[in-house]
Amino acid sequence: IYGISTFDTLTVIVYSEIGCAWIINKGEGEIVKLSAEGDELMRMTGFTDLADLDIDPENHRLWVCETDPPAVHAYDLQGNLQFTVNDLLLNPKRLRSRYRTGSVMVIDGDSSTIKELSFNGNFIYRQYNGFSRPNALDINQSTGELWVCDEGVNRLYQIATNDAEFISDVDSSEHV
């Protein structure tokens, strides 16, 4: 795949505003940025156990989640490291950025919580508790609502992040 020789897991984020894709190649411990034509624009190496990435186009930031060692890294879109957060998270699994605030929401697997890290990564802005085994999340950027899939109880939760109000949940076992 476009010069990627080996892989066991790929994660792809398409950044359509500037016509490129970012790919996690777990097998090689690298992130590759490709143009719309498939040309390699950048390759970031040296990662041990990549879990997820997300682009914040409004704040021109690439967020990267690594599980071993546990850390969340913030890069500019040219691949320059801005900072690393490793003391606020036990086991980061997935992440999504919030464009309005520049913060990032992270699933912390060991504590089964969702933590919202501040724009500069130096503190936890908010924490959402009460999950069994959260395994996926996304943010509706127009409303700010957080969607969390909790595989521990087969539910999908919708949370209003402006005041942490629980909106609704869906028992996914009823829709299998």
Side-chain angles (χ1 to χ4, degrees):
I1 303 173
Y2 300 111
I4 297 175
S5 56
T6 62
F7 60 88
D8 60 327
T9 304
L10 292 179
T11 301
V12 179
I13 298 291
V14 176
Y15 186 19
S16 60
E17 291 84 354
I18 61 171
C20 65
W22 296 76
I23 300 171
I24 286 180
N25 179 355
K26 277 189 78 148
E28 296 293 325
E30 64 187 11
I31 297 171
V32 180
K33 180 181 178 183
L34 301 175
S35 71
E37 294 76 33
D39 298 322
E40 182 176 316
L41 302 174
M42 181 173 47
R43 185 177 295 252
M44 300 164 60
T45 61
F47 298 100
T48 325
D49 193 10
L50 288 163
D52 202 6
L53 64 84
D54 196 27
I55 301 290
D56 180 346
E58 291 186 17
N59 296 291
H60 308 286
R61 182 169 281 168
L62 168 68
W63 290 97
V64 176
C65 178
E66 216 176 353
T67 58
D68 185 24
V72 170
H73 309 285
Y75 294 88
D76 65 22
L77 296 181
Q78 289 71 45
N80 300 307
L81 181 65
Q82 295 178 326
F83 58 86
T84 295
V85 178
N86 52 16
D87 56 340
L88 300 176
L89 302 164
L90 301 173
N91 188 11
K93 296 288 188 187
R94 296 279 180 258
L95 57 78
R96 286 297 169 261
S97 57
R98 292 189 69 199
Y99 302 168
R100 288 185 200 170
T101 62
S103 61
V104 65
M105 305 289 249
V106 182
I107 293 176
D108 199 351
D110 285 357
S111 63
S112 293
T113 60
I114 309 293
K115 295 179 179 177
E116 183 173 1
L117 302 179
S118 63
F119 178 76
N120 57 8
N122 62 356
F123 66 91
I124 296 172
Y125 180 66
R126 252 185 228 144
Q127 180 167 308
Y128 301 89
N129 302 310
F131 299 103
S132 173
R133 211 167 51 243
N135 66 324
L137 74 158
D138 210 347
I139 297 170
N140 181 331
Q141 298 295 345
S142 62
T143 65
E145 293 165 352
L146 172 66
W147 290 83
V148 179
C149 177
D150 189 342
E151 71 179 350
V153 292
N154 296 323
R155 291 194 178 275
L156 176 66
Y157 297 101
Q158 179 186 17
I159 302 165
T161 56
N162 56 347
D163 56 6
E165 173 191 350
F166 173 78
I167 297 175
S168 66
D169 70 77
V170 176
D171 183 345
S172 61
S173 64
E174 297 172 4
H175 303 283
V176 178

